[in-house]
Amino acid sequence: MKLKTLNISAKGLLTILVCTRITDVVTTYIVTPDLQREKNMLTVYMFNRSWLLVIIFQILFTVGLIGLFAYLKMKAQLTLLEKKEMSVHSFFSMQFFCDEHSFHKLLLHSPVQNKPLYWYLAAYYGIVGIITAGMMVSAGNIMGPAGLNLFWFPPYWIYRIVYIGISLCMGGIMTERHMQYLYSSCHASNQTA
């Protein structure tokens, strides 16, 4: 069984992550410099509306995500398969369950093999979701109460659920595309070998 390390660049994804974290803090400061109108429960209750604690948390959170993602990317490997023609889902079913028809198991079961690749894809999914949420919150801050800043209008929890839902959907869509990219790069290198 031949293994292929993931030879991809994550600089673009991580750069966007850093930019959305910075944009989130800057636009929040523009909207509410004293954090009195902030609706984020973490900022209000845990950080007691302190900018210093918010900035320290954002730095630690972002550095932690980048470190975790880099570690998981370094550990993840693809197993080169002998069968040439198969779908992306069949390929990843073989990666995780040694069975071409088990992709649906990912929703309910932990993979039996290649767990580093599984956790790498889960981290990718999470980072895309965090980027999407950061973009939506920053856009809402920029538009302000006169625009579509949904955080200022009740009921707040409905908008939070919508933001989370959109972030999860974008994470799923982009992870699916990333899986297609990994499959095509692995398939191309397998054909040249």
Side-chain angles (χ1 to χ4, degrees), residues 5 73 167:
T5 57
K73 181 180 170 289
S167 298

Side-chain angles (χ1 to χ4, degrees), residues 3-77:
L3 295 176
K4 178 185 187 306
T5 57
L6 298 183
N7 200 9
I8 58 169
S9 174
K11 290 178 188 171
L13 180 73
L14 299 179
T15 301
I16 294 170
L17 174 68
V18 170
C19 290
T20 57
R21 297 291 84 223
I22 291 170
T23 305
D24 183 20
V25 170
V26 169
T27 58
T28 300
Y29 181 77
I30 290 169
V31 170
T32 177
D34 58 359
L35 293 173
Q36 290 303 312
R37 296 188 308 171
E38 177 62 42
K39 297 288 185 184
N40 185 336
M41 295 305 194
L42 191 65
T43 303
V44 174
Y45 294 112
M46 284 190 65
F47 301 147
N48 199 24
R49 293 186 164 96
S50 164
W51 273 110
L52 178 63
L53 294 176
V54 168
I55 291 170
I56 290 171
F57 172 77
Q58 287 289 352
I59 290 170
L60 292 176
F61 179 69
T62 305
V63 168
L65 278 176
I66 290 170
L68 176 66
F69 187 76
Y71 172 77
L72 292 172
K73 181 180 170 289
M74 180 183 67
K75 289 288 191 185
Q77 293 183 334

Side-chain angles (χ1 to χ4, degrees), residues 72-167:
L72 292 172
K73 181 180 170 289
M74 180 183 67
K75 289 288 191 185
Q77 293 183 334
L78 290 168
T79 305
L80 296 178
L81 306 171
E82 296 300 321
K83 188 173 179 182
K84 301 290 185 197
E85 296 298 322
M86 65 174 55
S87 70
V88 174
H89 288 171
S90 295
F91 177 77
F92 281 97
S93 293
M94 291 295 290
Q95 294 289 318
F96 298 132
F97 298 107
C98 299
D99 175 14
E100 272 188 64
H101 308 290
S102 298
F103 188 75
H104 65 281
K105 284 185 184 177
L106 281 177
L107 297 175
L108 302 173
H109 304 302
S110 179
V112 294
Q113 68 177 24
N114 212 344
K115 289 185 182 189
L117 178 62
Y118 175 80
W119 288 113
Y120 164 76
L121 290 172
Y124 186 90
Y125 177 90
I127 286 177
V128 170
I130 290 168
I131 288 170
T132 305
M135 288 176 164
M136 288 187 296
V137 169
S138 297
N141 285 341
I142 291 168
M143 288 182 224
L148 295 174
N149 190 347
L150 302 178
F151 282 128
W152 305 128
F153 303 110
Y156 171 71
W157 62 271
I158 290 175
Y159 303 118
R160 178 67 80 177
I161 290 171
V162 170
Y163 278 17
I164 290 170
I166 292 170
S167 298

